[in-house]
């Protein structure tokens, strides 16, 4: 069994290398001296990855052979791809679980690092989730296809699994995720809404801090570690709506619980959740100190203009 020795230059296979977090991660991996191969499913993504100075492996989450080939050739795998079909999450979750199964099976017995994206949803309703809280998502029908727990099960099979639990908003310029969707809805409806009394919270982290965490995790995190890429433990959704209202000169209003789904559509369920989490253990373990702008600062600075 090849033993993982931590802080050295590695050949790293990155899925989602053309994505919001993945592209920033590739930049930082390359800057740290690693050799990176990025999975690309289109000419545009291949060109973007190659332009950074990384190698390209053409493939798709729906093509397990491509995922296997990438993992076989690498000394470490960072899995950040996701279909993000929020109108049919079962499709995204099935692909996510299948990719994790393929990567785990490929790395089994190798001792090689396998870092994968995860989230903080459902860890500890009503309080701040911590790294010590196991994910309640088990099995294919659970959120994200239960991929974190599946990946962590591979530790017993000789895989150096590390879970990267990203805050529900990884924010910054070029974000096309949740905050961008909330901005689009606010502009379309002419009101920056928040669910209920707006006291439910979302953890947040700036994109570059998140990418820095991934790079540190590759070097420093032990097998079975759960990390929290969280800079702000809990921004009330009312403050998020107020920031959007100020930035786009829109009124701010509460959306009653029974109207949340209709007003916000697919993102309503997420925006009404309390997704608060701390990162004390992660910061201590990695020596990671987030330095990027806060979510409200980012919105005010025009990151979503
Ligand atoms: N951003 C956040 O706020 C946040 C919060 C919590 C967790 N996460 C998780 O962190 C990970 C990275 O998120 P992100 O924001 O960087 O996502 P993103 O910007 O949407 O990027 C998704 C990546 O997956 C790739 N991809 C999509 N479908 C694919 C397929 N069928 N085959 C191969 N690749 C495919 C995309 O390729 P193309 O470029 O070719 O489309 C892209 O590189 C995801 O697992 C996400 O769920 C993100």
């Amino acid at each position: 069994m090849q033993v993982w020795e931590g802080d050295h230059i590695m050949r790293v296979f990155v899925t989602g290398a053309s994505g919001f977090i993945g592209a920033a991660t590739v930049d930082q991996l390359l800057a740290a001296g690693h050799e990176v191969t990025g999975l690309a499913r289109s000419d545009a993504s291949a060109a973007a990855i190659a332009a950074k100075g990384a190698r390209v492996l053409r493939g798709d989450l729906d093509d397990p052979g491509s995922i296997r080939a990438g993992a076989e050739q690498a000394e470490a795998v960072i899995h950040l791809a996701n279909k993000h079909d929020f109108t049919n999450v079962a499709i995204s979750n099935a692909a996510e679980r299948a990719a994790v199964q393929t990567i785990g099976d490929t790395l089994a017995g190798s001792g090689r690092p396998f870092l994968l994206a995860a989230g903080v949803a459902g860890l500890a309703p009503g309080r701040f989730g911590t790294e010590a809280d196991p994910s309640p998502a088990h099995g294919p029908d659970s959120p994200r296809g239960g991929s974190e727990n599946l990946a962590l099960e591979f530790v017993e099979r000789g895989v150096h699994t590390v879970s990267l639990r990203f805050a529900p908003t990884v924010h910054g310029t070029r974000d096309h995720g949740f905050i961008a969707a909330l901005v689009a809805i606010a502009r379309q409806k002419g009101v920056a809404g928040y669910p209920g009394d707006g006291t439910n919270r979302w953890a947040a982290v700036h994109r570059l801090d998140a990418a820095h965490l991934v790079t540190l995790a590759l070097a420093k995190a032990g097998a079975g570690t759960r990390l929290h890429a969280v800079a702000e433990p809990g921004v009330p959704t009312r403050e998020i709506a107020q920031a959007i209202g100020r930035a786009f000169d829109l009124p701010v209003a509460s959306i009653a619980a029974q109207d949340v789904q209709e007003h916000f559509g697919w993102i309503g369920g997420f925006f009404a959740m309390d997704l608060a989490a701390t990162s004390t253990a992660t910061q201590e373990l990695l020596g990671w100190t987030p330095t990027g702008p806060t979510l409200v600062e980012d919105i005010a600075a025009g990151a979503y203009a």
Side-chain angles (χ1 to χ4, degrees):
M1 177 166 127
Q2 175 192 325
V3 178
W4 175 77
E5 290 170 353
D7 199 357
H8 68 277
I9 301 306
M10 281 183 261
R11 273 180 288 119
V12 188
F13 174 51
V14 181
T15 74
S18 53
F20 180 62
I21 299 173
T25 299
V26 170
D27 287 340
Q28 295 200 23
L29 290 170
L30 291 170
H34 297 292
E35 286 178 32
V36 178
T37 298
L39 183 75
R41 61 172 172 155
S42 69
D43 290 345
S45 296
I49 294 166
K52 292 179 178 297
R55 295 197 178 96
V56 173
L57 177 68
R58 292 299 294 256
D60 197 288
L61 288 172
D62 291 331
D63 171 12
S66 64
I67 308 290
R68 195 176 307 117
E72 275 170 357
Q73 293 160 18
E75 292 165 292
V77 177
I78 302 178
H79 171 51
L80 300 172
N82 194 292
K83 289 188 175 181
H84 284 160
D85 185 345
F86 291 110
T87 56
N88 190 346
V89 288
I91 287 180
S92 302
N93 292 347
E96 171 65 7
R97 188 174 178 90
V100 166
Q101 184 74 49
T102 299
I103 295 166
D105 284 339
T106 307
L107 298 185
S110 73
R112 291 184 228 151
F114 171 25
L115 282 57
L116 81 156
V120 302
L123 291 182
R127 66 165 171 81
F128 290 102
T130 76
E131 296 86 340
D133 292 313
S135 166
H138 290 273
D141 298 329
S142 63
R144 297 186 72 85
S147 58
E148 177 184 275
N149 283 319
L150 177 64
L152 289 170
E153 284 170 19
F154 276 97
V155 172
E156 281 187 2
R157 292 179 55 193
V159 178
H160 191 104
T161 303
V162 176
S163 172
L164 308 163
R165 289 177 173 171
F166 295 109
T169 170
V170 179
H171 56 87
T173 308
R174 287 188 49 215
D175 177 12
H176 51 254
F178 291 159
I179 298 299
L182 291 171
V183 166
I185 293 163
R187 298 179 82 172
Q188 183 204 338
K189 304 248 170 182
V191 59
Y194 55 86
D197 64 5
T199 55
N200 67 303
R201 304 152 300 177
W202 271 23
V205 66
H206 187 266
R207 178 195 195 199
L208 297 183
D209 285 323
H212 186 213
L213 178 144
V214 179
T215 307
L216 289 175
L218 182 63
K220 294 186 176 182
T225 308
R226 297 183 289 243
L227 299 171
H228 281 194
V230 166
E232 298 180 88
V235 187
T237 53
R238 182 178 178 155
E239 289 181 20
I240 298 173
Q242 287 169 336
I244 293 172
R246 281 193 300 275
F248 297 95
D249 199 18
L250 293 168
V252 179
S254 163
I255 307 297
Q258 65 271 20
D259 300 329
V260 161
Q261 208 63 47
E262 194 198 331
H263 182 89
F264 292 105
W266 62 267
I267 202 174
F270 293 118
F271 203 36
M273 287 170 82
D274 193 43
L275 301 174
T278 58
S279 60
T280 312
T282 298
Q283 296 198 33
E284 280 174 11
L285 178 74
L286 301 183
W288 175 69
T289 307
T291 58
T294 66
L295 173 60
V296 167
E297 286 169 352
D298 239 356
I299 295 170
Y304 294 87

